[in-house]
Amino acid sequence: MFKYPQGYELIAGVDEVGRGPLVGAVVTAAVILDPNKPIEGLADSKKLSEKKRLALAEEIKEKALAWALGRAEANEIDEINILQASLLAMTRAVKSLKIQPHFVLVDGNKIPKDLDIPAQAVVKGDSLVAEISAASILAKVARDQEMEELDKQYPEYAFAQHKGYPTKLHLEKLAELGALPQHRRSFTPVKKVLETKFTDK
């Protein structure tokens, strides 16, 4: 059972989605829930069906006191590494909230250093803290939608299926078709494909 920090009125939960994929941004969300408008069924976004996630995302946007998305693009990930990019995207989400929280609960074991707000890291927070569960749902829905849009641009890569993760299908497509501008060049499978293409010339 998670114990909330005492003496803080507005608490935001923050989570990220998309540290593992080979393509696209890492997407984060920050959410301040309304204690007078409880939301049933909040859980780690990975444990929910797509239909349930979509329904909950709408309910969160409707009932939360404030919510915001943040992101760090593939080129930023390549520049500063995925961990730092995730923390940067979390900071961007918190700073984009229309109400600034008094305390931030961050999923994982690291706190973004530029938050300027008291914060606590919560391991497995997306399963333990309602605010972080809500953030994980909004971030997952947003990132999945981005992958579906990318799929419309490049249907041959099957992004709607694998969402950019390094599945067998994605790795096959990457080897066959090469890397796109949206691919993360610092990630080993992408790097290998780019090196092969370079040495083949």
Side-chain angles (χ1 to χ4, degrees):
M1 193 69 185
F2 176 75
K3 277 190 175 175
Y4 279 83
Q6 296 303 298
Y8 296 97
E9 197 184 329
L10 295 172
I11 293 178
V14 192
D15 200 6
E16 53 69 31
V17 170
R19 274 173 69 162
L22 306 176
V23 73
V26 59
V27 178
T28 58
V31 180
I32 303 173
L33 293 174
D34 185 341
N36 300 314
K37 295 179 183 173
I39 299 169
E40 290 295 317
L42 290 175
D44 173 3
S45 63
K46 296 185 288 296
K47 294 177 182 162
L48 299 167
S49 68
E50 186 181 6
K51 189 181 170 189
K52 184 72 176 155
R53 273 198 304 269
L54 290 168
L56 279 169
E58 288 312 305
E59 195 178 349
I60 293 159
K61 288 174 183 179
E62 205 180 293
K63 291 183 174 178
L65 289 174
W67 65 273
L69 296 173
R71 57 193 296 112
E73 302 299 339
N75 62 324
E76 293 180 293
I77 293 166
D78 291 337
E79 211 173 295
I80 60 175
N81 81 42
I82 185 62
L83 172 61
Q84 294 309 319
S86 301
L87 296 172
L88 175 63
M90 285 179 171
T91 303
R92 286 172 176 168
V94 173
K95 291 190 173 175
S96 300
L97 286 166
K98 67 178 195 288
I99 308 168
Q100 278 302 285
H102 304 137
F103 198 94
V104 181
L105 295 169
V106 183
D107 186 56
N109 60 1
K110 294 212 166 24
I111 296 168
K113 60 180 184 295
D114 300 325
L115 268 185
D116 306 326
I117 298 167
Q120 178 184 337
V122 186
V123 174
K124 294 195 167 63
D126 45 13
S127 303
L128 300 169
V129 180
E131 289 83 355
I132 297 178
S133 299
S136 84
I137 290 163
L138 291 190
K140 173 88 175 129
V141 166
R143 194 176 192 286
D144 282 358
Q145 284 169 349
E146 289 184 18
M147 286 297 109
E148 278 150 28
E149 286 306 309
L150 197 61
D151 187 75
K152 287 175 193 166
Q153 271 182 277
Y154 305 100
E156 64 279 14
Y157 283 84
F159 289 120
Q161 273 177 263
H162 54 68
K163 304 292 192 284
Y165 283 89
T167 62
K168 186 169 178 280
L169 175 64
H170 189 186
L171 295 173
E172 282 170 4
K173 297 289 183 188
L174 191 59
E176 181 193 337
L177 303 163
L180 293 167
Q182 293 88 341
H183 273 101
R184 300 173 181 178
R185 278 148 168 66
S186 58
F187 280 43
T188 304
V190 181
K191 207 188 283 182
K192 278 186 182 162
V193 164
L194 292 167
E195 282 166 4
T196 308
K197 192 177 165 196
F198 187 72
T199 52
D200 283 352
K201 281 192 172 180

